[in-house]
Amino acid sequence: MAVLTEEQTMLRDAAKAWAQEKSPVTQFRKLRDSGNADGFDRAVWKEMAEMGWAGIVIPEEYGGTGLGTLTLGIVLEETGRTLTASPLLSTALIAAGAIALGGTDAQKQEWLPRIAEGSVVAAFAVDEGPHHHPGTLAMTKALSGTKRFVADGGAADLVVVATADGLFLVRGDAKGLTRQVLHSVDSRGFANLTFDNVEGEALSAPLDAVLDRARAGLAAEMLGTATQAFEITLDYLKTRTQFGQLIGTFQALQHRAAKMYTELELTRSCVEAALAAIDKGANDVPQLASLAKAKASELLHLVSNEMVQMHGGIGMTDAHDAGLYLKRARVAEALYGGASFHRDRYAGLMGY
Amino acid sequence: MAVLTEEQTMLRDAAKAWAQEKSPVTQFRKLRDSGNADGFDRAVWKEMAEMGWAGIVIPEEYGGTGLGTLTLGIVLEETGRTLTASPLLSTALIAAGAIALGGTDAQKQEWLPRIAEGSVVAAFAVDEGPHHHPGTLAMTKALSGTKRFVADGGAADLVVVATADGLFLVRGDAKGLTRQVLHSVDSRGFANLTFDNVEGEALSAPLDAVLDRARAGLAAEMLGTATQAFEITLDYLKTRTQFGQLIGTFQALQHRAAKMYTELELTRSCVEAALAAIDKGANDVPQLASLAKAKASELLHLVSNEMVQMHGGIGMTDAHDAGLYLKRARVAEALYGGASFHRDRYAGLMGY
Amino acid sequence: MSDVESFRAQARAWIEENLPASLKGGGARGLTDEGDSYIWGGRRAKWTNPDAKLWLERMGAKGWTAPTWPARYGGGGLSAAEARVLEQELAKAKAPQALASFGIWMLGPVLLEYASEEQKLEHLPKIVRGEIRWCQGYSEPGAGSDLAGLRTQCVDMGDHYLINGAKIWTSYANYADWIFCLVRTDNSKKHEGISFILFDMTSPGIETRPIKLISGNSPFCETFFTDVKEPKRNLVGKLNGGWEIAKRLLQYERQNISSGGFGAGGGYDLPDAAKDYVGIENGKIADADLRTRIAAHKMEAQAFGLTVRRLQEEAKAQKGPSPATSIVKYAAAKLNQDRTELLVEAMGSQGLGWDGDGYKPEEIMAMRGMLRAKANSIEGGTSEINLNVVSKRVLGLLDHQ
Amino acid sequence: MSDVESFRAQARAWIEENLPASLKGGGARGLTDEGDSYIWGGRRAKWTNPDAKLWLERMGAKGWTAPTWPARYGGGGLSAAEARVLEQELAKAKAPQALASFGIWMLGPVLLEYASEEQKLEHLPKIVRGEIRWCQGYSEPGAGSDLAGLRTQCVDMGDHYLINGAKIWTSYANYADWIFCLVRTDNSKKHEGISFILFDMTSPGIETRPIKLISGNSPFCETFFTDVKEPKRNLVGKLNGGWEIAKRLLQYERQNISSGGFGAGGGYDLPDAAKDYVGIENGKIADADLRTRIAAHKMEAQAFGLTVRRLQEEAKAQKGPSPATSIVKYAAAKLNQDRTELLVEAMGSQGLGWDGDGYKPEEIMAMRGMLRAKANSIEGGTSEINLNVVSKRVLGLLDHQ
């Protein structure tokens, strides 16, 4: 854990308490079983906004607290721990960050206060094929075509659309915009959005800067998810008995647990460095964002697999939470580029 | 171990007995410490030839036994176990195989009987850069340029030279051929051969077929090397005590040992399949040869590292054999293409 | 013509004549109401395609559902060579497997070895003909990897046994007619207090509860026994001698579930999926990183296939399994998990679907297959147990003293 | 100007004035007759470059070889902030390290904590000035990972101790003046029978034998003690209380040998080597497989560097090391081994040289560095021991009961 300010520490403690007590995994399970089409509970989102989380990267003059990306990352980590489904990443980090970064004063005035108060849900539409490949977008300012696998795309009142001609803001009720809600394995609110000559407003934030915020923020959420998955597994190692022994006394499992812990610590450093670099406006944001997302993807892949394996048969049952972690893991791993994409990008950024 | 014929079983037993008793690693160590420039002991090579090993792939009419590549692979595995340094691979398998495959009757008459009796040492010169890349040879039939890292290139009486215009046979005393003997980490007889308009005789064997023989044969030797390295390590796990326990009772080491054993068995299947496919003239020799060499490279890399690690400090000393296995491993891994090269080749052969 | 070749001609002719037309050419699906492509038989079978029933009856009558079992127990009485020929001819005709059966794969072989003549004559023919569908009562909630820690009580009541307890991971217990079951007949010893018993699942006091898995399917049940009475003649082997039978049966289980690599051959081929979803550049899968990992995986798969074949050949030559067979289950599990993960990865966001219009059936199958494959390293002995077995029995390493 | 900034100005001026010209600008090699670039000091030092001696004397006189040690023991008496500034200024001037010393890295910190005032005054100033070179007598042939199993006997003879036994992996014992040594002073207990003692390597009865390593170097010795007599005042801490000191010293050892990633930053940079030896296609390393693995490794290296920095910051803020520091040694060892292996692989056959004309010095160094790095996961506690420590002390997992 990075050295936090007093404000950050208080916010983290509040977020942890809320997530563990008010929004444990049982809540997410209920949401999933309810077949909610938004992929999140609007009342819960309102509650989160009331705690000020929707405005963490929004300047005070537009109704936020302007505490920055690292601070929001701390909250995302805590909500990620319990698989809390909400538009915190897409709305409060990505869309709000993009508008704060590149919006005109009018755009900021129009959207940021409403995001901060939780009355607008926003989504970020990037990919046009099954793989993340922002370097080759076909959509232009004419805003026609299909954006795939848009997080919170079903519920969004506002869509930040990436095109070859830059970013655009599109209203959820814009003419020509149609949505196909997806039933993704993680039961979140993904949708395909089809644009037919839709009207939008240019937003002058660089795509890469917005994407790197998305990646670092998602990596923070994934770090939380992996941390809690690891802790649940560690608890099981300390309680499950086989052959008259706690299974956590078997050295082969101990070494695997120690390696997971090592990966958790290494990934934490990358995530925190990427978030801090964004707040500082540092030059190395692109490489740190790719590092954080790649490491978080590898970490969560490993930990979610080990969670199932170390739980044995019980981990294979739908009644246990391991499957929920595994399913969310695979989605988060791929979103905004998997480890493979980011290794390639990192090498390219470093010139080899 | 493949199901062997009676003849193969006898040969294997004889090879195993000879390698373990007459040519244990202490012999290789002596050779290394003597600073022998050939990288092998000519008296030992004579002895191996007298046992008929130099003629295993040579037809009976040319003084060999014509038992085939799989049979020679069985012997290579046994000599590989004890790091026996000899031109068995380069002369008896590669060069003899190339001439048997594509030589004119005159070429066969001239070279094969002398190879079978052990009076000619032959080498195979392919690579022109530090990496194996036979698809882009610059040397042509004019036979000018430098061939690098030629196994047994220092001692060779005959060199099979790969060029963009096909293979050529070049006599060791040919005008314009100069040699730079290398001090490689495995203390074998590698050399750089520089050709200045050298006279050679075309040999009409396909380069890829000869290379695939080289790869499968080397993989067999590496399988033996890895097998013995594993057995030495397993013995140490059964005798070394720490914390009042044999270290082989620690489950983390047990699982690593079991995984190595798994890799050994998987690799054995690939090596034997590649050798058998060569003897059958099967269509899938290229993919099986790449499979065998890639797997053998990965296996030996793993086992040689684990050998040092599981021996602890003693494995780091020059007095212990672990270092000799490690050093030979790295050379054999790279020769005729490492795992990386062969993964790429395999994917290409399979059309993706 | 050799005997084997003359058998081949007979087999081919028989198949040509008896394989119902609707099942020819492979690809048969939805043969039964369970919606899968397997014919499981049994008393409760419901046939959506009557030709599937016909095929089972014809094959069962020949004993070719269990080709090498003795004819006196209903088997085909074929030699190993003939059985291979039959297999080849069935494959050529792309005939569906006439019977998928834990009775044939697991129970039958141990009955042949351990059961009384009376028991063999009672059970084996019904297994061969697919009349009785069996399930396996091994694991318990507290006894997974430590199978011998099982606690289901079986008490000798003089003229019958009284069984109380619970099993878990009983495959398709909700569809099975009979169960082969490990029970505790002596509480004072661990391994030496276990017996192997068979009984009818319609006996009073048995309840099955399907377990929903993360893949969405329910191939397993929890099974509860409350004062279940069973005749004493259903005990196989000696009282308290069940552990030896249990271990032998596990060997058959591991061989069967892993020798085919958990079906790693089937479905969307990885390189094809990668080409379709990632694209091609200069004839290569466009993502070089993924391409490398796919190639490495395909090489592992080929190495595995060559190993299974080699071990079979060696076993034949040596009249017994090589110690190396113990690596097969571990390797097969890892391989299938790697394959299904790579398939999901190759499909990108299209591989992340659960259901609904947004995804093609093969995309849904890729995700569910990946989730299902997580069990490969748990079912039939965890990979950790497999590695323990290799290190102790094959490599001779010891437990802490 | 803050105090720290005014210190920066002073330090810079002092370095400018006192760093001998021949040592400026970095890259200094062959400073001593041991042929390496380190200044080890000690009574037996032979100086091939007298400026190296001068630099050590000047830095030692300031106490800046041990900047944060108290001035009364010869140290620099600097605050942590000042010490960082000094380090930065020395780095800017590319000054060679004035003293490489196990005395500073390992012994000094435990003397400050455990030694008597008299012992501190005797030994610490000589360490700071590089007058006495120390070696470490810990491991024994039968006691490697199980360090507490050591058997070197130290018997109380009334007016002196009598020491008999053998040590192994004593770094540079053949060059050292004094040794800090673990000895057994009670055979009836394991950990509670160990004491920590210092003595002069020129005492009669000590023999050192360099061990040749697979890398060709001999940085370690076997060291034999035959009836070595030592004054009783050289015992540090309590009799039979050495294990606590030993463990603390090991913490310093692990921190020191791993926090820099075993020097993973130095030498030929991997991507450069790959470009030079493999070639470039479309601006990328031509071998896509190798490129991917190099990128993955460089990312690990950056993650490691960020982690070391984070742990330092956390330790500062919390006034004590985070439990996560125990992962550093393990991670550093793996990282350096991966780096050196990739460098050898990138160089192809040019990375496979031992010596001779056929190879450039950096090529030979790549191979020898790879071989040397194999010890990283053994020295100062094996990776297996590190993982045990993490699982027990950090994760709270237990031994078999």
Side-chain angles (χ1 to χ4, degrees), chain D residues 78-149:
Chain D
L78 302 186
S79 70
E82 289 169 335
R84 267 195 306 282
V85 164
L86 175 61
E87 200 185 328
Q88 288 159 3
E89 291 304 316
L90 287 165
K92 264 186 224 155
K94 295 193 180 163
Q97 188 173 33
L99 179 60
S101 160
F102 299 121
I104 288 172
W105 300 329
M106 288 148 66
L107 177 62
V110 304
L111 288 186
L112 282 167
E113 186 170 0
Y114 293 98
S116 66
E117 185 63 16
E118 196 189 341
Q119 289 169 331
K120 291 181 199 172
L121 288 168
E122 178 182 355
H123 296 293
L124 291 174
K126 293 182 199 160
I127 289 174
V128 173
R129 296 193 300 265
E131 292 171 13
I132 294 295
R133 179 170 179 180
W134 288 83
C135 66
Q136 178 189 37
Y138 266 43
S139 293
E140 299 185 2
S145 284
D146 183 12
L147 179 59

Side-chain angles (χ1 to χ4, degrees), chain C residues 33-56:
Chain C
D33 66 327
E34 289 161 43
D36 67 8
S37 54
Y38 292 108
I39 300 171
W40 291 100
R43 294 190 298 230
R44 312 188 203 184
K46 291 187 188 127
W47 304 93
T48 43
N49 178 348
D51 281 349
K53 182 163 183 277
L54 194 65
W55 178 232
L56 167 58

Side-chain angles (χ1 to χ4, degrees), chain C residues 232-252:
Chain C
K232 293 174 72 172
R233 66 182 166 83
N234 283 353
L235 192 85
V236 177
K238 296 196 195 114
L239 186 72
N240 297 321
W243 185 244
E244 185 190 337
I245 307 176
K247 281 191 300 180
R248 184 61 58 94
L249 192 143
L250 278 176
Q251 283 181 356
Y252 290 111

Side-chain angles (χ1 to χ4, degrees), chain B residues 1 238 245 249 251 254-255 259 261 265-266 268-270 272 287 291 294-295 344 346-347 351-352, chain C residues 271 275 285 291 295 298-300 302-303 307 310 314 324 327 330 384 388 394-395 398-401:
Chain B
M1 176 62 59
K238 291 177 181 177
Q245 295 283 347
T249 66
Q251 196 193 33
Q254 289 183 346
H255 281 198
K259 286 178 187 174
Y261 176 76
E265 290 295 326
L266 291 172
R268 173 173 297 288
S269 313
C270 301
E272 292 178 357
Q287 86 191 58
L291 176 64
K295 287 291 294 174
D344 178 65
Y346 186 92
Y352 54 88
Chain C
K275 286 182 188 171
I285 294 164
R291 173 178 181 263
K298 292 296 269 184
M299 293 169 94
E300 284 300 303
Q302 189 172 12
T307 301
R310 176 169 71 85
E314 289 174 23
I327 66 168
Y330 165 74
E384 288 77 9
N388 286 344
V394 183
L395 304 181
L398 303 173
D399 272 327
H400 273 324
Q401 299 304 307

Side-chain angles (χ1 to χ4, degrees), chain B:
Chain B
M1 176 62 59
V3 178
L4 302 181
T5 64
E6 204 174 325
E7 199 157 23
Q8 287 170 330
T9 306
M10 282 173 56
L11 201 59
R12 185 205 50 202
D13 293 348
K16 185 185 286 289
W18 180 82
Q20 300 289 333
E21 288 156 29
K22 300 286 176 54
S23 181
V25 181
T26 46
Q27 289 301 111
F28 171 69
R29 185 180 287 278
K30 270 188 210 160
L31 183 75
R32 177 194 76 160
D33 294 343
S34 75
N36 178 313
D38 288 338
F40 65 92
D41 182 329
R42 284 179 184 262
V44 169
W45 174 233
K46 194 80 195 160
E47 201 179 322
M48 292 168 82
E50 277 162 14
M51 289 185 286
W53 299 351
I56 288 177
V57 304
I58 295 175
E60 289 185 35
E61 60 205 288
Y62 300 109
T65 52
L67 292 171
T69 318
L70 175 59
T71 307
L72 185 48
I74 291 165
V75 175
L76 278 163
E77 183 184 334
E78 296 303 328
T79 58
R81 277 179 157 266
T82 59
L83 302 178
T84 299
S86 83
L88 191 60
L89 179 69
S90 45
T91 302
L93 194 147
I94 307 175
I99 296 168
L101 189 70
T104 60
D105 190 59
Q107 286 169 332
K108 291 178 184 172
Q109 289 289 3
E110 178 172 9
W111 296 110
L112 294 182
R114 289 160 67 198
I115 288 178
E117 73 185 24
S119 60
V120 159
V121 169
F124 179 37
V126 194
D127 291 317
E128 299 171 0
H131 287 273
H132 184 60
H133 213 303
T136 59
L137 297 178
M139 191 181 285
T140 63
K141 60 188 169 187
L143 295 182
S144 286
T146 296
K147 291 291 184 181
R148 306 234 290 226
F149 209 64
V150 178
D152 301 312
D157 308 302
L158 170 68
V159 186
V160 179
V161 185
T163 78
D165 298 321
L167 298 179
F168 289 83
L169 294 177
V170 169
R171 283 160 207 279
D173 57 4
K175 192 157 163 279
L177 170 61
T178 52
R179 319 187 191 208
Q180 177 186 32
V181 172
L182 296 170
H183 297 186
S184 63
V185 72
D186 67 345
S187 306
R188 300 271 182 118
F190 289 91
N192 291 339
L193 306 188
T194 297
F195 296 74
D196 180 10
N197 235 326
V198 170
E199 198 175 305
E201 218 176 77
L203 173 69
S204 66
L207 171 58
D208 257 3
V210 176
L211 271 172
D212 283 336
R213 278 165 167 71
R215 290 157 181 159
L218 179 55
E221 182 190 324
M222 293 164 78
L223 174 64
T225 305
T227 303
Q228 184 113 347
F230 176 70
E231 288 173 5
I232 294 169
T233 306
L234 192 59
D235 279 349
Y236 192 70
L237 294 180
K238 291 177 181 177
T239 49
R240 169 76 170 174
T241 299
Q242 289 283 277
F243 303 103
Q245 295 283 347
L246 292 172
I247 59 173
T249 66
F250 289 102
Q251 196 193 33
L253 297 187
Q254 289 183 346
H255 281 198
R256 280 156 56 184
K259 286 178 187 174
M260 276 194 275
Y261 176 76
T262 304
E263 288 304 317
L264 274 164
E265 290 295 326
L266 291 172
T267 304
R268 173 173 297 288
S269 313
C270 301
V271 170
E272 292 178 357
L275 294 166
I278 289 167
D279 285 336
K280 268 186 245 161
N283 287 330
D284 57 355
V285 165
Q287 86 191 58
L288 285 170
S290 276
L291 176 64
K293 182 58 174 50
K295 287 291 294 174
S297 292
E298 288 172 341
L299 170 73
L300 193 50
H301 191 86
L302 171 71
V303 173
S304 60
N305 276 341
E306 286 284 49
M307 185 184 200
V308 173
Q309 181 65 19
M310 289 187 177
H311 277 84
I314 198 75
M316 286 298 300
T317 63
D318 185 68
H320 193 273
D321 290 344
L324 302 178
Y325 279 87
L326 179 67
K327 290 168 180 176
R328 174 59 187 163
R330 291 302 175 275
V331 173
E333 285 169 40
L335 198 58
Y336 310 130
S340 177
F341 174 87
H342 286 292
R343 272 193 293 267
D344 178 65
R345 182 173 183 247
Y346 186 92
L349 288 167
M350 306 304 282
Y352 54 88

Side-chain angles (χ1 to χ4, degrees), chain A residues 248-280:
Chain A
T249 65
F250 290 101
Q251 196 193 33
L253 297 188
Q254 289 183 345
H255 281 199
R256 280 156 56 185
K259 286 178 187 173
M260 277 192 275
Y261 176 76
T262 304
E263 288 304 316
L264 275 164
E265 289 294 327
L266 291 172
T267 304
R268 172 172 298 287
S269 313
C270 301
V271 169
E272 292 178 355
L275 293 166
I278 289 167
D279 286 336
K280 268 186 245 160

Side-chain angles (χ1 to χ4, degrees), chain D residues 62-213:
Chain D
K62 290 285 277 185
W64 283 2
T65 50
T68 60
W69 293 7
R72 63 183 304 207
Y73 306 127
L78 302 186
S79 70
E82 289 169 335
R84 267 195 306 282
V85 164
L86 175 61
E87 200 185 328
Q88 288 159 3
E89 291 304 316
L90 287 165
K92 264 186 224 155
K94 295 193 180 163
Q97 188 173 33
L99 179 60
S101 160
F102 299 121
I104 288 172
W105 300 329
M106 288 148 66
L107 177 62
V110 304
L111 288 186
L112 282 167
E113 186 170 0
Y114 293 98
S116 66
E117 185 63 16
E118 196 189 341
Q119 289 169 331
K120 291 181 199 172
L121 288 168
E122 178 182 355
H123 296 293
L124 291 174
K126 293 182 199 160
I127 289 174
V128 173
R129 296 193 300 265
E131 292 171 13
I132 294 295
R133 179 170 179 180
W134 288 83
C135 66
Q136 178 189 37
Y138 266 43
S139 293
E140 299 185 2
S145 284
D146 183 12
L147 179 59
L150 62 90
R151 294 189 300 188
T152 291
Q153 296 294 316
C154 174
V155 181
D156 186 341
M157 306 300 282
D159 63 337
H160 67 276
Y161 288 123
L162 191 68
I163 299 170
N164 278 287
K167 292 285 173 186
I168 195 167
W169 313 122
T170 33
S171 304
Y172 301 113
N174 48 335
Y175 299 115
D177 303 310
W178 276 62
I179 186 169
F180 48 94
C181 193
L182 295 178
V183 290
R184 181 151 299 287
T185 39
D186 185 341
N187 287 311
S188 69
K189 290 170 191 157
K190 192 172 177 181
H191 298 83
E192 297 79 16
I194 293 170
S195 297
F196 189 94
I197 190 170
L198 317 173
F199 52 89
D200 193 317
M201 288 292 281
T202 59
S203 312
I206 302 180
E207 185 196 347
T208 60
R209 232 180 263 165
I211 301 169
K212 191 172 169 197
L213 295 188

